[in-house]
Amino acid sequence: MSYTIHTTQSFVLSVQPYREADRLYSLLTRELGLIRASAQGVRKEHSKLRGSLEPISLSTVSFVKGKEFWRITSSKVDENISIKLNNNKKLLKVITQAFALLEKMIQGETPHPELFDALEKLIKDALENKIGDIKDFETKLVATILSDLG
């Protein structure tokens, strides 16, 4: 049986433990929208995927369609947002809350390429300190999410 491997950039919105050494991820992708994907053995110390699938990060992820969930086969971290914003807890909290809002509002695997691109630009501006006031950034981030999702 042949499988199609999809490779795309993804925001890692959230992570949940699953079984003994696995995790379930909520990923926002440009092409597929919000997907739930599992990674086997990622909680083990020697796992190759362990460092590249941290919550609140932008990663390039490869996965295949499984019976229950998508299954992650490989990944590479592009921007670890939580580490880069470790010294700015308020900004990290705003982005974390926006990701939680995204996860609640997006239904099914519907692509939202405009939303993904807008979020990517806003977050890169935040990482480069081009946002000005945090309240203005939060308003812009939430307005972007709400205007695209209705």
Side-chain angles (χ1 to χ4, degrees), residues 90-91 93-95 97-98 101 115 118-119 122 126 131-148:
K90 289 181 182 179
L91 185 55
K93 183 179 179 184
V94 166
I95 293 173
Q97 289 173 336
L101 176 66
L115 175 61
L119 287 172
L122 283 169
I131 59 164
D133 185 45
I134 291 178
K135 288 288 185 189
D136 292 341
F137 173 74
E138 181 177 23
T139 303
K140 192 182 291 186
L141 191 58
V142 171
T144 300
I145 293 168
L146 294 177
S147 70
D148 192 87

Side-chain angles (χ1 to χ4, degrees), residues 120-135:
E120 186 176 29
K121 183 185 180 326
L122 283 169
I123 289 173
K124 286 192 179 193
D125 286 348
L127 293 174
E128 296 170 1
N129 292 322
K130 297 180 180 176
I131 59 164
D133 185 45
I134 291 178
K135 288 288 185 189

Side-chain angles (χ1 to χ4, degrees), residues 84-102:
K84 288 193 174 186
L85 294 178
N86 196 28
N87 59 346
N88 192 340
K89 299 288 186 195
K90 289 181 182 179
L91 185 55
L92 182 58
K93 183 179 179 184
V94 166
I95 293 173
T96 303
Q97 289 173 336
F99 280 9
L101 176 66
L102 275 170

Side-chain angles (χ1 to χ4, degrees), residues 69-123:
F69 308 104
W70 289 89
R71 295 184 60 179
I72 298 172
T73 58
S74 68
S75 66
K76 178 180 83 66
V77 69
D78 297 327
E79 294 281 349
N80 194 326
I81 300 162
S82 59
I83 288 177
K84 288 193 174 186
L85 294 178
N86 196 28
N87 59 346
N88 192 340
K89 299 288 186 195
K90 289 181 182 179
L91 185 55
L92 182 58
K93 183 179 179 184
V94 166
I95 293 173
T96 303
Q97 289 173 336
F99 280 9
L101 176 66
L102 275 170
E103 194 171 0
K104 288 176 185 172
M105 290 194 65
I106 296 177
Q107 299 296 315
E109 295 177 6
T110 306
H112 298 281
E114 299 85 13
L115 175 61
F116 186 92
D117 293 338
L119 287 172
E120 186 176 29
K121 183 185 180 326
L122 283 169
I123 289 173

